[in-house]
Amino acid sequence: MASIITATVASGLTQSADNSGVLQLASGTGNLVTVPSVTGTAMVSGNMPAFSAFGNVSYSITTGVDTKVRFETERFDTANCFDSTTNYRFTPNVAGYYQINYIGRFQATSPTIAYVMLYKNGSMYIVGNQIMGIASGTNFDLPASDLVYMNGTTDYLEVYINVGGTSILVNDNGTTTFVSSFSGYLARAA
Amino acid sequence: MLYDKIKTIYPQLTIADFAPATGTIMLQNDSDGKGDYIAKWEHPTFPRPTDEELA
């Protein structure tokens, strides 16, 4: 049982009440939504940030240095939370838990080891992936993902890469498919 | 390059000393045009090089 507020073409807005303590909203007949008995903001697709960006302009980095990966091109950024021009960071404007996916693409001469890392608020959050035994001079993709809590105001995420070797290039010029990438979406509001 | 300068000062260092999370030395570059810098130096034996040594 539930108290129900219903909108119909025939009757406009109607309501029925009981003492169940449960509230349901109905648009038309048979389309019921139960309002959850928790405190929070109702999330709909329009206010749940999602973004996807990639980097396809290659640049040199130094061996043994945690270097921020640049993502200059956005595929989409629904809430304008990704900075693709200056800091290459995601600063979501809704507090909650975000599914984050990232790929560091690189090549190097005689590479020994490589890491791709997620940084939160300027400090390492996690080493998402590492690999050894990479072929020299071959482009390689190092993928990782995580679920990260963000406070919706000041928290931000960036991707860093660290490669041992010489003549190291991050990203891959020109292509839009073989790229370093960074994407995420709100999985659950706080 | 900063890494090479440090390796010249301390040739005994290996890539493991610079490994993310587990290394005692962290070099960082924020892709902001300011270049590489020492973000952490916690090596148990070798002192952090001075700016003069790294110049």
Side-chain angles (χ1 to χ4, degrees):
Chain A
M1 298 297 290
S3 296
I4 303 173
I5 298 173
T6 304
T8 65
V9 173
S11 305
L13 196 64
T14 63
Q15 65 181 42
S16 62
D18 66 9
N19 60 357
S20 65
V22 176
L23 175 62
Q24 292 182 322
L25 303 174
S27 180
T29 57
N31 301 308
L32 284 173
V33 173
T34 301
V35 177
S37 57
V38 296
T39 299
T41 302
M43 302 307 297
V44 296
S45 59
N47 64 356
M48 299 174 69
F51 80 100
S52 178
F54 64 86
N56 66 345
V57 179
S58 65
Y59 58 99
S60 299
I61 68 170
T62 306
T63 184
V65 179
D66 291 8
T67 303
K68 189 190 296 186
V69 180
R70 302 173 187 163
F71 303 96
E72 299 97 342
T73 304
E74 295 180 1
R75 294 191 193 276
F76 56 84
D77 182 13
T78 63
N80 295 318
C81 294
F82 188 75
D83 174 358
S84 59
T85 58
T86 305
N87 292 308
Y88 314 108
R89 68 176 55 153
F90 176 54
T91 311
N93 57 4
V94 177
Y97 301 86
Y98 286 78
Q99 175 63 41
I100 300 296
N101 314 294
Y102 49 106
I103 297 173
R105 184 173 175 84
F106 67 94
Q107 66 167 273
T109 300
S110 302
T112 54
I113 194 167
Y115 310 82
V116 64
M117 298 154 283
L118 190 64
Y119 270 53
K120 182 179 181 182
N121 301 332
S123 299
M124 186 189 300
Y125 179 75
I126 191 169
V127 176
N129 205 342
Q130 86 176 66
I131 191 169
M132 294 181 283
I134 313 156
S136 186
T138 300
N139 280 306
F140 197 87
D141 297 311
L142 204 52
S145 62
D146 213 319
L147 188 65
V148 184
Y149 174 77
M150 305 294 283
N151 66 12
T153 54
T154 57
D155 284 348
Y156 61 91
L157 295 173
E158 300 161 311
V159 175
Y160 278 70
I161 194 168
N162 185 321
V163 181
T166 59
S167 303
I168 307 163
L169 287 175
V170 175
N171 297 342
D172 193 0
N173 260 341
T175 177
T176 58
T177 49
F178 292 106
V179 292
S180 294
S181 68
F182 191 13
S183 64
Y185 63 90
L186 178 61
R188 181 191 186 284
Chain B
M1 294 183 291
L2 181 60
Y3 176 87
D4 293 329
K5 289 178 180 176
I6 293 172
K7 283 282 287 178
T8 299
I9 298 168
Y10 299 122
Q12 304 95 323
L13 293 174
T14 69
I15 194 70
D17 293 303
F18 299 88
T22 58
T24 57
I25 301 166
M26 179 187 291
L27 306 182
Q28 193 164 319
N29 186 317
D30 297 323
S31 295
D32 54 5
K34 297 179 181 177
D36 302 342
Y37 64 93
I38 299 174
K40 179 185 78 173
W41 188 283
E42 296 176 348
H43 196 280
T45 308
F46 302 131
R48 178 177 178 139
T50 64
D51 291 342
E52 290 73 21
E53 289 175 310
L54 296 172

